[in-house]
Amino acid sequence: MATASMPALPSRRLVLADLVPASRARTAVLVALGVLLTAALAQVSVPVPGSPVPITGQTLAVVLTAGALGPVRGVAVQALYILCALVGLPFYSEASGGFDVVFGATGGYVVGFLPAAFLIGLAARRGADRKIWQALPLFAAGQLVVFAVGVPWLAVSAGLTASQALEAGFYPFILGGVVKAGVAALAFRGAWLAADRTR
């Protein structure tokens, strides 16, 4: 008697972290490493004259961790990063931390890491991190999400007008954001090429 074959279910798209052999500790280790990477790149800090917001490597870390880990683990990294700073660990720029820092004038940028990580991770889960021409606008747009939260927060916290907040908290960071998006796009393209060769 002939039996009808079951149609193959579509396989879930992988992010880079899914190439790591599965274990019970894998997610915890990857998230912890993501937090440490974000904290490390936060120490790459350049003051911006006239602005309380420094140029840091944090947004590059958000892009890298979210793209590599996917939406859920990417958000978990940034949520844990915020929690670590709240309890006083020196994980923010210039080795700062604490409640006042997290909810200070620059706090909105870090809060913006959460939706940015989700959107970047979701797009990466759908394969948008694999080709430079897709990854570059994705990673730039992800950073814009950070500024969409951070700039209004800065305006309210520091008592700035909209134009002053843009001058202090957005315009000086445009070039750096494009460079970070390019670095991340090249890194992901290289990582996927290497992964394809080894599979």
Side-chain angles (χ1 to χ4, degrees), residues 133-161:
W133 64 271
Q134 290 178 310
L136 186 59
L138 165 64
F139 297 154
Q143 292 178 81
L144 284 176
V145 172
V146 174
F147 288 104
V149 179
V151 173
W153 183 304
L154 175 65
V156 172
S157 297
L160 303 177
T161 65

Side-chain angles (χ1 to χ4, degrees), residues 1-98:
M1 182 173 73
T3 57
S5 60
M6 293 290 292
L9 294 174
S11 61
R12 186 180 68 146
R13 294 298 292 264
L14 300 177
V15 292
L16 282 172
D18 296 326
L19 303 180
V20 177
S23 72
R24 290 185 179 182
R26 178 181 71 172
T27 295
V29 169
L30 291 174
V31 168
L33 289 174
V35 172
L36 293 176
L37 176 65
T38 308
L41 289 182
Q43 307 317 309
V44 181
S45 179
V46 178
V48 176
S51 173
V53 187
I55 296 171
T56 73
Q58 286 168 300
T59 50
L60 176 59
V62 173
V63 169
L64 293 174
T65 56
L69 300 180
V72 175
R73 290 173 295 198
V75 170
V77 165
Q78 299 311 321
L80 185 56
Y81 176 66
I82 293 171
L83 182 60
C84 287
L86 274 173
V87 300
L89 293 178
F91 278 10
Y92 281 14
S93 62
E94 300 179 353
S96 60

Side-chain angles (χ1 to χ4, degrees), residues 70-198:
V72 175
R73 290 173 295 198
V75 170
V77 165
Q78 299 311 321
L80 185 56
Y81 176 66
I82 293 171
L83 182 60
C84 287
L86 274 173
V87 300
L89 293 178
F91 278 10
Y92 281 14
S93 62
E94 300 179 353
S96 60
F99 187 89
D100 291 343
V101 174
V102 174
F103 291 104
T106 61
Y109 295 91
V110 182
V111 172
F113 293 172
L114 297 169
F118 181 78
L119 294 173
I120 292 170
L122 191 64
R125 175 68 71 195
R126 296 177 179 177
D129 63 324
R130 300 187 183 207
K131 297 184 184 301
I132 291 176
W133 64 271
Q134 290 178 310
L136 186 59
L138 165 64
F139 297 154
Q143 292 178 81
L144 284 176
V145 172
V146 174
F147 288 104
V149 179
V151 173
W153 183 304
L154 175 65
V156 172
S157 297
L160 303 177
T161 65
S163 61
Q164 288 172 331
L166 289 169
E167 289 286 347
F170 179 62
Y171 298 143
F173 305 91
I174 293 173
L175 178 59
V178 173
V179 170
K180 291 174 194 175
V183 168
L186 289 171
F188 274 94
R189 180 59 180 157
W192 279 113
L193 287 173
D196 289 341
R197 291 193 192 103
T198 58

